[in-house]
Amino acid sequence: MSTTWHVLGAGSLGTLWATRLARSGAPVRLILRDTARLQAYEAAGGLTLVEHGETQRFAVPAETPESIEPISRLLVACKAYDAEAAVAKLAPRLAPGTEVILLQNGLGSQDAVAMQVPQARCIFASSTEGAFRDGDWRVVFAGHGFTWLGDTCHPVAPIWLEDLSTAGIPHEWNTEILTRLWRKLALNCAINPLTVLHDCRNGVLQDHHCEVATLCSELTELLERCGQPAAAENLLSEVERVIHATAANYSSMHQDVTSQRRTEISYLLGYACKVAERHQLTLPHLTQLQQRLITRLHSLGLPSD
Ligand code: NAD
Ligand code: KPL
């Protein structure tokens, strides 16, 4: 009998993973926030995945964190700001050697989770797949992409990557996962806050070349100082390439702000500024960007952490 995938969080990415795993025959259980959410889920009759215009429903079984069944493999699919508390609640159910896969964007939440569950093997992931919710328990698979996974403490790939291949989840084991997460964080810091401040699609940043270039130069300095030279390589040209390739899109942070949702600022720009301070590195434009973003979030009635 193969190991059950416990999926914490039935949002966009959690549903995208849970439905594809369930479709391939892997055992999956959802962990929902509380009894009220569990009852609502059961009344809906399962998770719905919309892919290429086709709708499929999967009656993936679900439970609350209070369930007593031990967890051997946990996919954490909540936002970065919820991950530490959510996993802490499950810690008593995690046996030694349990694997915890962390799908959160940015940096900071992964270490906070690892501290909560020292008995577990924590695997970090970085994904370019895109999904959004168009209703309760319904997710649209919007952007096909790729997921890189890695373990900063142990280079050997886990055997269950086969489950991902069977489920059609494009992925690769990456022994330099921190480099990939730092690179993504730098891209997000150079693009996302500016799209909020200028209230624009990514492509409009082509008109703000100097501002983008200045930020990239400070981000490059930061990456080099914290031992990530590979993540710093040609950062500006990569940022310009992404701005061009995603010109018609709104960044994820812009989408969060437009929908009045809390952003992951503390795990992106906030994390970069905190690490710079720890290294006694003065990065005036990045710091000013953080201040401007915090002011904007406050003016919109949104949290700035
Ligand atoms: P989401 O808000 O759609 O889903 C998160 C889910 O977690 C919600 O349903 C929420 O209720 C649930 N949750 C929160 N705390 C919980 C708890 N204690 N117990 C049970 N459930 C809990 O978020 P998302 O878009 O799926 O993003 C998850 C992470 O993946 C983020 O860090 C995001 O940046 C990253 N990411 C998302 C996408 C995407 O396309 N959506 C792409 C790449 C990376
Ligand atoms: O990842 C992104 C996001 O919107 O979060 C891109 C498209 C790279 C912009 O930073």
Side-chain angles (χ1 to χ4, degrees):
M1 180 68 182
S2 45
T3 303
T4 296
W5 285 81
H6 278 89
V7 176
L8 173 81
S12 306
L13 274 201
T15 300
L16 194 56
W17 280 63
T19 50
R20 288 179 296 175
L21 285 164
R23 184 167 61 188
S24 71
V28 183
R29 288 187 74 82
L30 291 176
I31 301 177
L32 303 175
R33 210 185 272 273
D34 52 32
T35 314
R37 290 296 286 161
L38 182 59
Q39 282 170 354
Y41 173 72
E42 283 171 350
L47 294 175
T48 299
L49 177 67
V50 183
E51 191 181 8
H52 307 305
E54 276 183 27
T55 296
Q56 272 183 296
R57 188 187 286 173
F58 300 88
V60 176
E63 62 191 41
T64 64
E66 287 71 34
S67 165
I68 53 165
E69 190 193 324
I71 295 172
S72 303
R73 186 176 304 142
L74 177 67
L75 180 74
V76 182
C78 57
K79 296 281 195 187
Y81 46 75
D82 282 326
E84 182 181 358
V87 173
K89 241 182 166 179
L90 296 174
R93 296 175 59 190
L94 269 55
T98 294
E99 287 157 315
V100 178
I101 300 116
L102 299 162
L103 285 180
Q104 287 61 48
N105 199 12
L107 280 163
S109 70
Q110 299 88 346
D111 286 342
V113 167
M115 299 265 282
Q116 296 297 323
V117 286
Q119 73 274 38
R121 178 184 190 192
C122 286
I123 288 166
F124 300 0
S126 177
S127 183
T128 58
E129 292 196 310
F132 64 87
R133 283 185 276 180
D134 74 340
D136 235 7
W137 319 110
R138 262 179 77 92
V139 163
V140 179
F141 194 174
H144 288 258
F146 209 80
T147 302
W148 289 267
L149 301 127
D151 177 349
T152 55
C153 304
H154 193 64
V156 177
I159 183 93
W160 48 258
L161 291 185
E162 283 169 14
D163 281 12
L164 304 190
S165 304
T166 310
I169 300 174
H171 67 281
E172 191 176 270
W173 186 250
N174 186 314
T175 52
E176 302 296 334
I177 191 69
L178 271 186
T179 298
R180 189 160 281 282
L181 283 162
W182 266 112
R183 178 75 160 191
K184 177 94 190 310
L185 180 143
L187 281 166
N188 287 163
C189 287
I191 299 173
N192 300 13
L194 288 180
T195 63
V196 172
L197 292 169
H198 295 295
D199 189 13
C200 67
R201 294 179 196 266
N202 293 353
V204 173
L205 298 186
Q206 289 168 126
D207 304 338
H208 299 273
H209 174 80
C210 285
E211 210 174 3
V212 172
T214 308
L215 289 174
C216 285
S217 145
E218 290 192 356
L219 285 162
T220 299
E221 216 183 312
L222 173 64
L223 291 170
E224 285 170 352
R225 179 69 73 90
C226 52
Q228 291 294 333
E233 252 172 56
N234 301 320
L235 180 63
L236 176 58
S237 47
E238 173 74 352
V239 166
E240 285 173 337
R241 188 194 64 74
V242 171
I243 287 174
H244 184 72
T246 62
N249 299 354
Y250 284 107
S251 76
S252 55
M253 189 178 273
H254 189 283
Q255 290 175 40
D256 283 341
V257 168
T258 306
S259 310
Q260 287 281 314
R261 286 191 302 253
R262 182 176 172 184
T263 69
E264 295 183 301
I265 176 179
S266 294
Y267 303 88
L268 299 166
L269 185 55
Y271 185 83
C273 290
K274 201 163 60 188
V275 172
E277 203 178 303
R278 203 185 299 149
H279 285 282
Q280 294 176 323
L281 196 59
T282 308
L283 302 174
H285 295 89
L286 218 55
T287 310
Q288 197 199 38
L289 183 72
Q290 187 190 25
Q291 280 318 315
R292 286 165 65 202
L293 185 59
I294 288 174
T295 304
R296 175 62 62 89
L297 293 174
H298 284 165
S299 77
L300 295 168
L302 289 168
S304 59
D305 62 344

